[in-house]
Amino acid sequence: MAGTKRLAVAFFYDEDGIVDDYMPALVKGFEPFVEKTIFVSNGPLHRDGEAKIKKCVDEIIIRENDGFDVWAYKTAIESIGYEEISKYDELILYNHTNYGPLYPLSELFTEMDSRECDFWGITDHAEMSRNPFTHSGVLPYHINSHFIAVRRPMLQSSSFKHYWANMPEIANYTDSVVKHESRFTSYFEKLGFKSSVYLSCRDIGGDYPLMLRPDEMMLKRCPILKRRMFFGDTNYLEVNASDTTRALDILKSTSDFDLGLIWKNAARTSKLRTLNVNATLMSILADKASAPARAEQYGNIAVCAHMYYTDMLPEILSYTSNIPVPYDFIATTDTENKKNELIERLTGYPGIKSIIVRVVEENRGRDMSALFISCRDLFLDDRYDYVCRVHTKKTPQVEAARGEFFKRHLLNNLLGSKGYVTNLLNMLVDSPWIGIAIPPIIHISFYTIGHAWYNNKSKVEEVVKTLNIHANLDDTTPVASYGTMFWFRPSALRKIFKQNWKWTDFNKEPNHADGGMAHALERVMAYVAQDSGYITQHVSSARSAAQAYVMLEHKVDLLTSALPTNSIQSQRNMIVSMLNGGGKHTVDSVNLHPGVLRSIAILWQSMLLSFRWRVLRIRPKS
């Protein structure tokens, strides 16, 4: 429909009123196709965000955060007035829950202008025989409410006005789905209005393709990508095989959309562990460079090494020599004699541009205090673009083979070969949203997964408060550089470097224990980067990834083979229920067969007997 006159209502909500750049980009994408845009926010906007939005909309309505998107649309429609709305050929209602436009919206509007319908959407949801929101009845087929366009015949109908005038109270997300989103399509179709969908589940397959088949949607050049895939329930996405990773790969190769808009918003609004898994924030890098080193784009590079054990200098240099361009070598150590030794041995070493060696006032806090106190000034003045943090790790508190394995795990995954480091640096250049690159969590011979907070979470919470970090800490395993070796952009960790740490903030030697500042800083760095708008990327060599994967597969097999066949979440729920003495989870909910029942009964009985025996042992004598 050439010359179609459109009015758009854009709904927005952010808990902190922050308008990340993806939202103005989405609104601007619609500008060529709409005559006027009304922006409705459920809650006040941050000053900077409001300034961004004012540049690309005609009117801003700020309202209380009630009624979700449904009552925001209702507010805007009634504010504009039905008589005024009826002058437009189409009313478009869309919201902040998607990134886009990923592909030119001319493709969308050209196609939909050719279809005869009264209202239409970009995507839809299939009928479900059991409504997952009410747990009874049927969830009807419906157009997803994140984008609905309504044409003039329906806009001018009394039915359209009646629908909004009699909108029931929307108290929660379920209400918004049941009372509006899943109702809108069938309500108007029953009244004789015809709908259409740009990319329908009936053609693509699956109940909810935008969320559960995002890769196929990208192949179909869907102009939007669901934000919830980045922060949503990982177990739901896993059970449904939602392939966000493939969707992003397709997007990279078929669209010129700025992925930085996604990562800036996703980093701020997601739990790091959830984002890490949902978006597969891990790169397996080859030992052979896939492209030449781009020295002119790397800027200034430094190695920052805490050299407590100077006998390890040759080993450290064997790794740092894999950096494909000249770099500065910054070292900290604990005595003047070691400082002089390091300067002598580093002078003239190939690849090193300049040498900086500093003696720490104390070794309490070890490599963490050396980095954030002794080297503080070096990373606050923007002289370096990328820094590789290493130290002379010996881990004397564990058996020698375990300590050596841990050290190799860190160094090989950061500096494994010249080609590997070239690939890593090229990745950092191409992905300016990466603030830290860390090795995957060590789990072979270490009991980290699921327990890596140890006794440090309360201390991390203190540090978060001290640094004024807005972070949603992960529940079980924090995203962290365990072993404190990593690549970083100084700007990503600026809040830590700006803090005036004191040596007394760290444990005295030799009490380098959990619950202290050093271990807290180890676990807080990724969240500081997140607060600064960066993501944390895991990096691994192919060999290390293969070794870690097969061992992890073995561990999962050991656990799940002792449980009935079901999703990992259901298996976990069953175990938690047992340990908590029953709870809501019943035998029927996990389909236990008699053999498993007997095994669980025996296990439960033995646990109770063991507990009673321990109670008797510690009971004081009368």
Side-chain angles (χ1 to χ4, degrees):
M1 294 185 293
T4 303
K5 184 179 179 182
R6 297 185 179 94
L7 169 67
V9 175
F11 165 67
F12 179 79
Y13 171 71
D14 183 86
E15 183 179 3
D16 300 309
I18 296 172
V19 182
D20 289 324
D21 290 340
Y22 86 90
M23 191 64 198
L26 182 63
V27 173
K28 287 177 183 177
F30 282 101
E31 273 185 344
F33 307 94
V34 301
E35 187 171 286
K36 184 176 183 179
T37 297
I38 310 297
F39 187 88
V40 188
S41 175
N42 277 11
L45 299 173
H46 189 278
R47 177 181 178 181
D48 294 340
E50 185 167 354
K52 291 180 193 175
I53 286 297
K54 275 184 175 178
K55 294 177 182 178
C56 52
V57 303
D58 298 281
E59 181 182 345
I60 295 176
I61 297 174
I62 305 295
R63 62 185 300 276
E64 292 299 313
N65 181 29
D66 56 59
F68 287 71
D69 59 336
V70 189
W71 276 73
Y73 293 142
K74 174 180 165 66
T75 299
I77 289 169
E78 292 176 349
S79 173
I80 300 164
Y82 292 96
E83 183 178 346
E84 179 66 21
I85 288 175
S86 68
K87 296 177 183 178
Y88 290 87
D89 298 308
E90 279 187 350
L91 169 67
I92 295 175
L93 307 174
Y94 70 94
N95 66 34
H96 67 291
T97 61
N98 293 294
Y99 299 116
L102 309 178
Y103 301 97
L105 288 179
S106 57
E107 298 174 9
L108 168 72
F109 285 108
T110 298
E111 172 59 30
M112 298 313 295
D113 282 352
S114 70
R115 298 191 192 180
E116 292 185 8
C117 60
D118 298 298
F119 65 103
W120 59 275
I122 298 177
T123 62
D124 55 6
H125 195 297
E127 178 183 293
M128 298 183 74
S129 58
R130 182 174 181 269
N131 192 322
F133 297 95
T134 61
H135 306 292
S136 63
V138 175
L139 178 73
Y141 164 84
H142 60 275
I143 294 172
N144 296 130
S145 65
H146 50 239
F147 179 99
I148 293 180
V150 182
R151 291 180 175 166
R152 180 176 287 178
M154 189 165 141
L155 289 176
Q156 292 179 335
S157 71
S158 58
S159 298
F160 185 74
K161 182 176 181 179
H162 180 270
Y163 178 86
W164 292 104
N166 292 278
M167 180 62 64
E169 180 182 353
I170 305 295
N172 50 51
Y173 177 69
T174 296
D175 280 351
S176 72
V177 174
V178 173
K179 297 178 181 180
H180 170 62
E181 179 168 23
S182 65
R183 172 173 166 251
F184 187 92
T185 303
S186 58
Y187 180 92
F188 285 103
E189 284 186 338
K190 287 176 182 177
L191 294 174
F193 295 100
K194 184 180 179 182
S195 70
S196 186
V197 181
Y198 182 57
L199 294 171
S200 178
C201 59
R202 292 163 175 164
D203 301 319
I204 295 170
D207 293 330
Y208 187 8
L210 185 65
M211 185 77 173
L212 301 179
R213 303 200 70 190
D215 48 338
E216 292 300 315
M217 297 298 275
M218 293 304 99
L219 288 174
K220 298 287 187 182
R221 297 177 68 82
C222 179
I224 55 175
L225 182 68
K226 197 73 179 165
R227 288 179 56 226
R228 185 175 290 275
M229 292 188 303
F230 295 86
F231 62 79
D233 183 354
T234 299
N235 296 306
Y236 170 71
L237 298 175
E238 186 270 333
V239 165
N240 288 282
S242 179
D243 199 340
T244 305
T245 306
R246 183 174 182 241
L248 289 171
D249 289 341
I250 294 168
L251 190 59
K252 287 178 191 176
S253 62
T254 62
S255 169
D256 59 2
F257 184 76
D258 180 5
L259 293 180
L261 298 175
I262 294 176
W263 295 120
K264 183 177 181 181
N265 174 254
R268 184 178 68 82
T269 56
S270 307
K271 280 192 173 183
L272 285 188
R273 179 61 58 186
T274 300
L275 180 61
N276 171 249
V277 178
N278 289 6
T280 316
L281 295 184
M282 181 172 178
S283 297
I284 311 298
L285 303 173
D287 286 325
K288 184 177 180 180
S290 58
R294 306 188 324 238
E296 72 285 351
Q297 295 180 337
Y298 297 161
N300 293 320
I301 293 177
V303 168
C304 185
H306 185 51
M307 300 296 302
Y308 183 78
Y309 300 108
T310 55
D311 60 302
M312 285 185 62
L313 181 61
E315 182 178 14
I316 294 294
L317 289 173
S318 72
Y319 280 101
T320 62
S321 295
N322 289 326
I323 297 174
V325 294
Y327 59 93
D328 288 358
F329 196 102
I330 302 165
T332 51
T333 191
D334 63 324
T335 69
E336 285 292 336
N337 286 339
K338 289 181 183 178
K339 173 184 175 179
N340 294 333
E341 177 191 352
L342 288 169
I343 292 174
E344 182 180 351
R345 295 171 69 182
L346 290 168
T347 300
Y349 195 87
I352 296 178
K353 290 192 299 183
S354 63
I355 302 164
I356 301 172
V357 183
R358 294 179 173 179
V359 177
V360 298
E361 292 179 32
E362 301 183 54
N363 198 44
R364 59 194 294 170
R366 300 182 187 179
D367 60 291
M368 285 284 91
S369 56
L371 175 62
F372 293 118
I373 296 179
S374 299
C375 299
R376 178 174 181 261
D377 61 306
L378 299 174
F379 303 122
L380 281 176
D381 61 6
D382 297 319
R383 73 178 74 180
Y384 294 111
D385 297 278
Y386 306 109
V387 181
C388 184
R389 177 58 171 169
V390 295
H391 58 95
T392 51
K393 186 174 182 61
K394 289 194 175 182
T395 323
Q397 71 271 22
V398 302
E399 195 273 328
R402 297 176 68 206
E404 282 292 314
F405 186 90
F406 196 173
K407 179 184 67 177
R408 290 196 304 272
H409 170 81
L410 297 170
L411 291 170
N412 284 333
N413 286 322
L414 295 174
L415 296 160
S417 70
K418 189 157 288 190
Y420 181 89
V421 180
T422 299
N423 290 331
L424 193 156
L425 288 170
N426 286 345
M427 177 192 73
L428 292 176
V429 169
D430 293 336
S431 307
W433 49 83
I434 298 176
I436 313 177
I438 63 175
I441 184 172
I442 182 77
H443 70 84
I444 296 178
S445 191
F446 289 86
Y447 313 130
T448 46
I449 294 179
H451 303 280
W453 279 117
Y454 295 115
N455 297 317
N456 297 292
K457 193 168 188 180
S458 60
K459 190 67 175 179
V460 169
E461 289 170 342
E462 287 180 28
V463 174
V464 163
K465 187 174 181 180
T466 297
L467 298 178
N468 191 27
I469 298 299
H470 300 281
N472 194 359
L473 298 178
D474 290 292
D475 298 321
T476 53
T477 304
V479 173
S481 176
Y482 298 97
T484 56
M485 298 194 205
F486 51 97
W487 281 91
F488 70 97
R489 300 177 198 265
S491 57
L493 300 182
R494 183 150 289 151
K495 277 198 173 181
I496 306 183
F497 285 112
K498 286 178 72 174
Q499 181 66 20
N500 189 22
W501 303 104
K502 297 178 175 57
W503 298 101
T504 51
D505 292 329
F506 297 85
N507 291 9
K508 289 183 178 180
E509 286 293 301
N511 300 317
H512 190 74
D514 274 333
M517 183 61 75
H519 284 89
L521 290 177
E522 177 182 25
R523 286 160 176 79
V524 83
M525 287 186 290
Y527 301 93
V528 172
Q530 178 188 27
D531 181 74
S532 298
Y534 293 98
I535 66 167
T536 296
Q537 186 83 5
H538 293 75
V539 290
S540 176
S541 69
R543 183 183 183 281
S544 178
Q547 190 176 22
Y549 174 80
V550 295
M551 189 58 71
L552 189 59
E553 193 175 78
H554 163 71
K555 291 179 177 182
V556 173
D557 179 64
L558 277 179
L559 286 174
T560 60
S561 63
L563 297 167
T565 302
N566 214 314
S567 70
I568 195 72
Q569 182 64 40
S570 294
Q571 291 174 330
R572 179 187 184 275
N573 289 345
M574 186 191 72
I575 294 171
V576 170
S577 177
M578 287 174 56
L579 293 175
N580 289 338
K584 295 180 181 179
H585 302 286
T586 65
V587 169
D588 290 337
S589 70
V590 289
N591 300 316
L592 303 186
H593 52 76
V596 174
L597 276 175
R598 284 193 295 271
S599 299
I600 291 175
I602 293 169
L603 172 63
W604 186 240
Q605 209 170 26
S606 66
M607 289 169 63
L608 286 175
L609 288 171
S610 174
F611 175 74
R612 288 170 183 162
W613 179 76
R614 280 180 286 165
V615 170
L616 288 172
R617 279 194 66 195
I618 63 174
R619 183 179 296 166
K621 294 180 180 179
S622 56

